[in-house]
Amino acid sequence: MQNSPDYTRFLSTAAARRQPSAIREATQLFARSPPSTISFAAGNPNVALFPFKEATITLKDDTTIQLDSSDMSKALQYLPTPGQADLLEWLRKLQVRYHSPIDFKRYELCVTNGSMEGLSKVFELVLNTTESILVDSPCYSGSSDMSKALQYLPTPGQADLLEWLRKLQVRYHSPIDFKRYELCVTNGSMEGLSKVFELVLNTTESILVDSPCYSGSLDFLRGFGANIISINTDSNGMSAEYLDNILSNWSDLNTLPRVLYTIPNGSNPTGASMSLERKKDIYNIAQKYNLLIIEDDPYFFLQFKKLVPSFLSMDTDGRVIRLDSMSKVLSGGMRLGFFTAPIPLWQKLVYHQQVTSLHASSLSQMVALKLFEKWGLSGFHQHTEQISKFYENQKNLMVNAIKKHLNDMVTFNEPTAGMFIWMKINGIDDTRKLIYEKALEQEVLLLPGSAFFSDQSKTYPYVRVSYSVCTPEQIETGMARFGKVLREELHK
Ligand code: PLP
């Protein structure tokens, strides 16, 4: 190994703050568990519900590339962040072939949504605001001069797909004044979400969030340097009373939060969904304190009984940015999401996308469009109904198994949407220890709840159970195993 520079010298303050997700600890441990282990830990959607089976791509020389059903199910599922393992291996060979790096072991690769996404992330990795950077002159306008980039046309997505998504928003949310909003397609809803956070927040500023909260958002907000204000939730999601209490007792009006972030349906991790009354209460509070609501709703179509009206549908003031995801409906791997935002905010978000990912994958957008055109709105609706029925059935199996095997050792609310059950283990303070030691030994995995709280210094008695990908037999056997773990632990 050559001498290495001190890399902390190159990190921006925000990049230095970034830490691995608490979930990574679990995934790394779980990856080493024997194949007979039953896992309720991963939050992946079930690939069997994605509508695509196989694909053939014909090349210009009339030969074909075939994606069979096994390739396809890999292509449609979420991947590890750096990229598909075999492709990465191939790209490593490419670097050796063309660059013969002196000591290639000191590097790693990561696939991005175009090199512009990587470039914008590299700028953020190394630069603080107002810091100097040396660039070619003249320089690529997309990266050197933000103000020039602002003049370019917005790139919110393929026009026909956007038209189709507008119809979807009207069909499912009937916004009171749809003219005041615009849509933009993103590489999954997480891309849109991170851009929305950056749009509205300054470093150290407060943001109101569900507690517990989606770990991906918490990790982003921590790295960003936001002041995370946790608002308690119950079986109906964010508590309006708790929220009002926090805001009415806020001591300094100059730092009063301006932004509220919530997952209204089948929340990750709690599985909780807001009732219509709760949403109205929260919306009224948002009006009272002039808050912007970020509605992160990837489990909207996984509501089991009826689709409860969204914040977007009740937005009289234009104070809602809504994020939709196709990850649970069409495929996680296609990385397709979209946001619906009041036009002045949408415009700024699109400017940001122009200088980061440029636009969401055209190929994914085109495949989605062709499918939507083939299905029409009624076909799309039928598909989402099938999906929600599947997850409801899975939920029923899991609830029955929990009642049978865990009984009064746990407390939980039965979800009405989504893929998760949130359990409190009665009489145990730290579920990390319980899962990483005892449950792992008994070959059953659940996700410790600590990853979903902003305060990482405490211990928590919760676990997240995912019922999305397991078979009925695995649900029965896995919960029987976990019951044994709990009995031994509680009665020792
Ligand atoms: N928001 C929540 C609450 C999620 O659970 C997830 C993923 O599971 C996301 C956002 C990101 O979804 P996407 O695949 O659309 O980026």
Side-chain angles (χ1 to χ4, degrees), residues 340-476:
T340 306
I343 289 171
L345 300 178
W346 167 88
Q347 185 72 82
K348 291 283 187 194
L349 285 163
V350 170
Y351 290 159
H352 191 180
Q353 188 164 21
Q354 280 179 341
V355 292
T356 49
S357 59
L358 298 186
H359 57 73
S361 155
S362 313
L363 188 60
S364 292
Q365 293 194 49
M366 201 45 129
V367 172
L369 172 66
K370 290 290 166 194
L371 182 73
F372 292 154
E373 285 177 345
K374 182 174 152 66
W375 273 348
L377 279 173
S378 64
F380 177 83
H381 190 72
Q382 265 173 21
H383 174 69
T384 58
E385 281 187 328
Q386 272 171 17
I387 292 177
S388 83
K389 277 206 177 63
F390 172 87
Y391 285 115
E392 182 180 19
N393 188 42
Q394 292 283 104
K395 181 268 298 176
N396 290 338
L397 294 172
M398 187 58 93
V399 166
N400 290 341
I402 292 173
K403 285 183 178 159
K404 180 171 160 193
H405 296 292
L406 310 185
N407 201 359
D408 54 1
M409 295 183 287
V410 300
T411 314
F412 69 100
N413 292 311
E414 196 168 328
T416 54
M419 315 191 314
F420 307 111
I421 293 176
W422 182 246
M423 289 194 306
K424 178 171 185 286
I425 315 283
N426 301 324
I428 286 184
D429 297 333
D430 182 5
T431 51
R432 286 175 70 228
K433 253 178 109 197
L434 177 81
I435 303 295
Y436 296 156
E437 291 171 18
K438 307 289 174 294
L440 201 61
E441 217 172 86
Q442 291 296 324
E443 302 193 346
V444 57
L445 303 176
L446 300 96
L447 204 59
S450 51
F452 303 98
F453 289 95
S454 67
D455 186 348
Q456 290 288 296
S457 64
K458 291 192 188 149
T459 57
Y460 297 93
Y462 302 99
V463 290
R464 190 192 75 178
V465 183
S466 167
Y467 48 81
S468 55
V469 292
C470 39
T471 63
E473 296 72 33
Q474 287 172 326
I475 291 178
E476 179 61 26

Side-chain angles (χ1 to χ4, degrees), residues 283-309:
Y283 192 85
N284 287 340
I285 296 172
Q287 287 184 311
K288 183 171 157 193
Y289 293 96
N290 196 7
L291 304 174
L292 182 83
I293 298 177
I294 303 175
E295 175 173 50
D296 179 18
D297 206 358
Y299 305 99
F300 176 80
F301 291 109
L302 274 59
Q303 297 181 75
F304 303 146
K305 293 292 183 235
K306 59 178 180 7
L307 298 174
V308 177

Side-chain angles (χ1 to χ4, degrees), residues 78 188-190 193 214 261 263 268 296 298-299 325 327-328 335-336:
Y78 285 105
S189 64
M190 194 65 217
L193 195 54
Y214 172 48
Y261 165 65
I263 303 159
N268 184 358
D296 179 18
Y299 305 99
S325 171
S327 292
K328 323 296 173 212
R335 307 305 302 124
L336 267 191

